[in-house]
Amino acid sequence: MHIPDGFLNVQTWASAYLISAGSLSYGIKKSREDLSDRQVPRLGVMAAFIFAAQMVNFPVVAGVASGHLLGAALAAILLGPWSASLILTTVLAIQMLFFGDGGFTALGANVLNMAVVAVLAGFAAYKLFSRILPGALGRNVSIFIASWLSVMAAALMTALELGLSYSVHQVPVTLILIPMLGWHMLIGIGEGLITVAVVNFVEKLGFAGSRPGGGTEVRHRHEGGL
Amino acid sequence: MKAVYKVLLIALLVAAVLSPLASSSPDGLERVATDLGFIDKGEGKNIIDALIPDYLFPGIENEAVATAAAGVLGTLITFGAAYGLARLVKKREAGR
């Protein structure tokens, strides 16, 4: 859901840049407290994985629409929300600069939607549901719900920004909201399934320091949460 | 091999092998913008000329190979950028 140049009016994309810049500088301050030497390569690798996975569009309705992993909940669950924001911002900046995916003017909005709001929504939902739902199954259900909600939150933000840019296309916000949320309800199912699979797989590999011996680091990370 | 670099290897495999198999249907936002008739507002408006537009490495005829090459390169650039950024953020802490 990368917004290209031309979709947003100046007021909207400029405001989004300001809000994103503020959120990111807060996120950088917070992630300084979280980042250890061991975390640095993990951030690089998680960003690389999300970039690669975002290239793999899966069909939602064959021949009509597709979606791809967003990765905001994935990164937030594995590395905490502040690192996740840095990761998603890096991915979005590279996609825009090198691949023409998402516009230069829209980068602030894309960061706000996918690197800030999706990350915080996914992380908050994960914390909430994993506390309520017990056991390994409960955790996986929590990961699924968090991932689905992160996509819905980003889609809602995108629709609202497009709605604020009425002067560009003369389409009222309600007409944008309904199909944006409708399509992303389906795309979010893919997000949830992929995120559950990837979290379980990379934790088995020992990626997030969650192997025996890595426990203290995991606890520290979660204390630095929201 | 350290677990973290196993995941990097998986990312490179995803970029090289899975990305050429990706669905070429419009994504959610493109679908909505097309159906509501404003997709053209974003066409030809790119402010920055991308080096590798549409995830196709320029000069490679075969589309699958061009996509895989773009994917592998992008994955490596992203790894380097995020690694560097994380180190920068962390270093500042050490000097505080």
Side-chain angles (χ1 to χ4, degrees), chain A residues 13-190:
Chain A
W13 66 251
S15 312
Y17 255 111
L18 284 177
I19 299 169
S20 287
S23 311
L24 280 180
S25 63
Y26 181 75
I28 286 174
K29 230 183 257 170
K30 294 297 280 185
S31 60
R32 273 184 211 165
E33 297 160 15
D34 281 3
L35 276 175
S36 63
D37 277 329
R38 295 194 56 188
Q39 289 294 81
V40 169
R42 286 183 190 135
L43 262 72
V45 169
M46 184 47 54
F49 179 83
I50 290 172
F51 175 88
Q54 287 205 358
M55 283 186 73
V56 187
N57 282 59
F58 50 81
V60 175
V61 175
V64 178
S66 71
H68 60 69
L69 184 77
L70 168 54
L74 172 70
I77 290 165
L78 287 173
L79 297 171
W82 315 117
S83 294
S85 268
L86 292 184
I87 289 169
L88 268 294
T89 301
T90 308
V91 171
L92 290 166
I94 300 238
Q95 288 169 330
M96 183 275 288
L97 285 171
F98 290 89
F99 301 93
D101 196 8
F104 176 75
T105 55
L107 183 66
N110 285 325
V111 165
L112 179 62
N113 304 343
M114 293 184 265
V116 178
V117 173
V119 164
L120 293 180
F123 189 73
Y126 173 69
K127 291 269 97 178
L128 179 71
F129 284 98
S130 60
R131 208 163 285 167
I132 300 169
L133 305 169
L137 177 65
R139 181 168 186 246
N140 282 334
V141 172
S142 306
I143 296 171
F144 182 91
I145 296 171
S147 311
W148 187 84
L149 280 173
S150 71
V151 171
M152 292 301 279
L156 175 67
M157 289 297 294
T158 305
L160 292 177
E161 288 151 5
L162 290 170
L164 287 170
S165 303
Y166 180 84
S167 61
V168 171
H169 45 67
Q170 282 84 44
V171 181
V173 66
T174 45
L175 281 188
I176 301 170
L177 264 171
I178 294 163
M180 270 303 281
L181 293 178
W183 283 113
H184 288 90
M185 281 167 95
L186 300 176
I187 294 168
I189 296 173

Side-chain angles (χ1 to χ4, degrees), chain B:
Chain B
M1 190 177 5
K2 272 176 132 181
V4 60
Y5 292 106
K6 282 184 196 159
V7 177
L8 179 60
L9 202 67
I10 292 167
L12 289 167
L13 281 173
V14 169
V17 179
L18 292 185
S19 74
L21 304 173
S23 162
S24 55
S25 299
D27 76 3
L29 174 58
E30 289 164 347
R31 180 75 262 160
V32 171
T34 305
D35 291 344
L36 295 176
F38 65 87
I39 191 81
D40 60 302
K41 303 286 179 199
E43 275 158 14
K45 299 276 173 64
N46 266 11
I47 286 182
I48 288 181
D49 281 325
L51 292 171
I52 310 171
D54 299 320
Y55 298 94
L56 290 168
F57 199 92
I60 299 177
E61 285 276 309
N62 185 308
E63 202 168 295
V65 178
T67 304
V72 168
L73 183 66
T75 302
L76 290 172
I77 295 172
T78 308
F79 169 73
Y83 189 106
L85 181 66
R87 229 176 63 168
L88 209 73
V89 169
K90 197 198 77 73
K91 251 188 187 168
R92 284 191 189 159
E93 178 214 15
R96 195 166 52 180

